Amino acid sequence: LTEVLTLIQTHKIKPFPVILFSDRYWKGFLDWLRNYTLSEGFVAEEDLTLLRVCNEVDEVVETVQRWYIKQEIVGRKALAR
């Protein structure tokens, strides 16, 4: 996952929403991003704007469709406060 974000951040690939399914599953990773990488300045919050968390299949479908049709990022931000 971090490799994909790095490729997007360095413009090696075109940006797209990165969907994390199940906030419970990804909780430890998201806590690490928030409490370590952000707080230590290794990444900026805007670097993580493409991360989205979905807990329902319908949310995943909507996020993918909206990006495909309108290049619009929707859904709950992974690091929402």
Side-chain angles (χ1 to χ4, degrees):
L1 177 62
T2 55
E3 293 86 2
V4 171
L5 294 174
T6 299
L7 290 171
I8 292 171
Q9 182 185 29
T10 58
H11 307 287
K12 302 293 184 195
I13 61 175
K14 292 181 180 180
F16 59 89
V18 177
I19 300 170
L20 306 176
F21 190 77
S22 177
D23 55 2
R24 286 184 14 207
Y25 179 83
W26 291 100
K27 183 184 181 330
F29 177 70
L30 295 174
D31 288 345
W32 176 78
L33 282 177
R34 184 180 298 106
N35 299 326
Y36 180 69
T37 61
L38 277 174
S39 67
E40 294 293 324
F42 295 121
V43 295
E45 197 157 348
E46 59 266 13
D47 294 333
L48 305 173
T49 58
L50 294 174
L51 283 179
R52 292 295 187 258
V53 175
C54 299
N55 289 314
E56 303 292 331
V57 173
D58 292 344
E59 293 174 298
V60 174
V61 171
E62 180 183 1
T63 302
V64 171
Q65 285 179 336
R66 295 277 289 272
W67 177 255
Y68 183 75
I69 294 168
K70 297 182 179 181
Q71 301 290 294
E72 180 180 36
I73 299 173
V74 297
R76 186 168 58 99
K77 291 180 181 180
L79 298 182
R81 303 248 175 214

